[in-house]
């Protein structure tokens, strides 16, 4: 029977290098206060013995989990997928794991805050486009770890976001500048009260901008539908069925706008459509939209979390990202409306 190799221990490395086990631990974890000469000696000893640090043992010894909890409302949607991908690209570089929690319905949310499964499992928390009640914020703070939010301010947390009000206002002003006065909106506002605070801001911008232009607010022109292509198509069909349909439509997201464009293509009608996000398919569909750098927001938020995890006196930061109005072929002056508009 072959001999079973005896595992190499940290003490073996320490004996060969002529240092203490504590020095070996500090060296292999990349901590300061180890001289270059000692560091080289320890690394050579570890290499000659083929010693590999156990991640589990290292985490137990340091008291850290090397894991970041990420809370999103809808992990399968493009926006959230891009955010998570951006954050993960940074976390991976620093050997940090990502623990994803998807709170897309009331039951999942209640279960999460009832059990608070993040406790003692993460070193930091990233929250994406979610609004919390005061008790929920208190629960998150009780974790005692840094928190960074994307898309919406969370008290006591760092934040990476855009100015949704200003960005949506630029979209409506573009339509007004083209001569449109009967402008509809496709929104998810009605069914997103606690999940997507950006929906509130974008609808508020729509209403405020029309009021500032001296235009009446017509409830019939605002459609609240489920998120996605089907919702966008359903909303546009309802708008087209009005006795006096809009000449232009602002969609809260590009995915809703895609559905609206589909309805127009199927019916042969002509309405200017502007979206929000600059989804990767927006250029293909020639959609005018408000561009926000989604992947980069995940990257910057993860970098902020890294600073919070390594700086003892970290103060929550706020980073406001720019947006850009991207003009394509889905919007045009109202006078250019063709026959068949209705």
């Amino acid at each position: 029977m072959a001999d079973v190799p005896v595992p190499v221990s940290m003490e073996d490395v320490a004996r060969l290098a002529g240092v203490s086990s504590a020095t070996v631990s500090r060296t292999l974890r990349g901590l300061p206060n180890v001289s270059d000469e000692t560091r080289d000696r320890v690394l050579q000893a570890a290499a000659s013995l083929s010693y590999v640090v156990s991640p589990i043992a290292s985490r137990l010894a340091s008291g850290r989990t090397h894991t970041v909890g990420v809370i999103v409302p809808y992990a399968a949607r493009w926006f959230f997928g891009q955010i998570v991908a951006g954050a993960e690209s940074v976390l991976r570089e620093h050997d940090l794991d990502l623990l994803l929690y998807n709170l897309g319905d009331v039951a999942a949310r209640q279960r999460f805050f009832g059990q608070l499964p993040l406790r003692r499992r993460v070193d930091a928390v990233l929250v994406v486009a979610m609004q919390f009640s005061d008790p929920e914020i208190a629960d998150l703070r009780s974790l005692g770890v840094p928190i960074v939010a994307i898309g919406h301010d969370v008290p006591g947390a760092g934040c990476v976001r855009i100015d949704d009000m200003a960005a949506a206002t630029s979209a409506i002003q573009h339509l007004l500048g083209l001569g449109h006065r009967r402008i509809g909106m496709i929104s998810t506002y009605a069914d997103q009260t606690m999940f997507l605070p950006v929906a509130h801001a974008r609808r508020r911008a729509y209403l405020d901008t029309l009021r500032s232009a001296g235009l009446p607010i017509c409830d019939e022109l605002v459609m609240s539908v489920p998120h996605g292509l089907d919702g966008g198509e359903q909303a546009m069909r309802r708008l087209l069925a009005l006795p006096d349909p809009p000449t232009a439509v602002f969609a809260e997201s590009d995915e809703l706008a895609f559905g609206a464009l589909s309805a127009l293509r199927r019916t042969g009608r002509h309405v200017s459509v502007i979206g929000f996000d600059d989804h990767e398919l927006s250029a293909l569909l020639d959609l005018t939209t408000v561009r926000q750098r989604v992947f980069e927001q995940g990257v910057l938020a993860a970098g902020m979390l890294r600073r919070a995890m390594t700086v003892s006196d970290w103060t929550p930061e706020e980073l406001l990202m720019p947006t850009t109005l991207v003009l394509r072929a889905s919007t045009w002056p109202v006078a250019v409306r063709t026959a068949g508009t209705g």
Side-chain angles (χ1 to χ4, degrees):
M1 181 177 178
D3 293 336
V4 177
V6 178
V8 177
S9 68
M10 188 177 294
E11 288 74 17
D12 294 327
V13 177
R15 278 193 294 272
L16 182 59
V19 298
S20 68
S21 296
T23 299
V24 173
S25 176
R26 292 186 65 82
T27 300
L28 297 181
R29 285 190 287 150
L31 298 178
N33 300 326
V34 178
S35 69
D36 291 341
E37 180 186 353
T38 299
R39 189 179 306 277
D40 290 342
R41 198 161 68 245
V42 169
L43 293 177
Q44 289 174 8
S48 66
L49 295 173
S50 299
Y51 177 73
V52 178
V53 179
S54 163
I56 295 176
S58 176
R59 293 176 184 190
L60 289 173
S62 67
R64 289 183 172 273
T65 67
H66 298 275
T67 301
V68 171
V70 179
I71 305 173
V72 300
Y74 301 106
R77 293 186 184 175
W78 175 83
F79 175 86
F80 300 104
Q82 288 290 298
I83 290 287
V84 172
E88 198 271 340
S89 70
V90 174
L91 300 177
R92 183 178 61 246
E93 288 181 3
H94 296 280
D95 296 322
L96 295 171
D97 296 327
L98 184 152
L99 193 57
L100 183 65
Y101 290 89
N102 187 41
L103 307 187
D105 57 55
V106 174
R109 191 185 184 108
Q110 291 176 340
R111 184 167 58 252
F112 176 85
F113 283 102
Q115 301 174 355
L116 211 59
L118 290 174
R119 195 178 300 281
R120 292 186 295 277
R121 298 182 67 184
V122 299
D123 296 328
V125 175
L126 179 64
V127 178
V128 186
M130 292 192 66
Q131 182 172 309
F132 298 107
S133 65
D134 289 342
E136 289 170 341
I137 291 172
D139 285 342
L140 290 175
R141 285 179 173 174
S142 74
L143 297 171
V145 300
I147 301 171
V148 169
I150 294 178
H152 182 65
D153 292 326
V154 173
C159 183
V160 176
R161 66 179 183 87
I162 64 170
D163 186 334
D164 281 282
M165 282 287 292
T169 297
S170 72
I172 307 304
Q173 288 177 338
H174 169 64
L175 297 176
L176 291 171
L178 293 175
H180 296 282
R181 293 298 178 267
R182 191 160 171 80
I183 301 171
M185 180 177 183
I186 302 176
S187 170
T188 61
Y189 181 91
D191 65 344
Q192 304 295 341
T193 303
M194 289 298 291
F195 294 106
L196 300 180
V198 298
H200 298 246
R202 294 176 193 176
R203 181 180 286 204
R204 193 162 63 248
Y206 163 80
L207 296 173
D208 289 352
T209 306
L210 292 184
R211 289 192 186 100
S212 296
L215 297 175
I217 302 302
C218 302
D219 292 340
E220 64 181 3
L221 292 180
V222 181
M223 295 293 165
S224 296
V225 292
H227 179 272
L229 275 68
D230 289 344
E233 180 164 1
Q234 172 194 127
M236 181 56 83
R237 287 183 179 276
R238 284 159 52 189
L239 288 169
L240 293 175
L242 293 173
D244 185 13
T247 63
V249 168
F250 167 52
E252 178 191 290
S253 72
D254 283 354
E255 288 156 292
L256 288 170
F258 297 159
L261 292 176
S262 175
L264 292 170
R265 186 179 65 251
R266 292 173 188 274
T267 59
R269 305 284 285 276
H270 300 276
V271 175
S272 286
V273 177
I274 187 168
F276 200 114
D277 287 335
D278 201 26
H279 187 289
E280 57 195 15
L281 295 179
S282 294
L284 179 65
L285 297 176
D286 236 350
L287 175 68
T288 295
T289 187
V290 177
R291 173 183 294 158
Q292 60 169 322
R293 302 202 297 269
V294 183
F295 183 91
E296 188 176 345
Q297 289 179 58
V299 169
L300 293 173
M304 190 180 291
L305 273 180
R306 277 283 303 153
R307 291 193 295 278
M309 294 165 65
T310 56
V311 177
S312 59
D313 58 348
W314 179 74
T315 301
E317 314 162 46
E318 180 178 52
L319 180 58
L320 193 64
M321 298 286 290
T323 58
T324 307
L325 184 63
V326 181
L327 302 181
R328 299 192 179 104
S330 68
T331 54
W332 52 80
V334 67
V336 179
R337 295 177 75 202
T338 60
T341 301

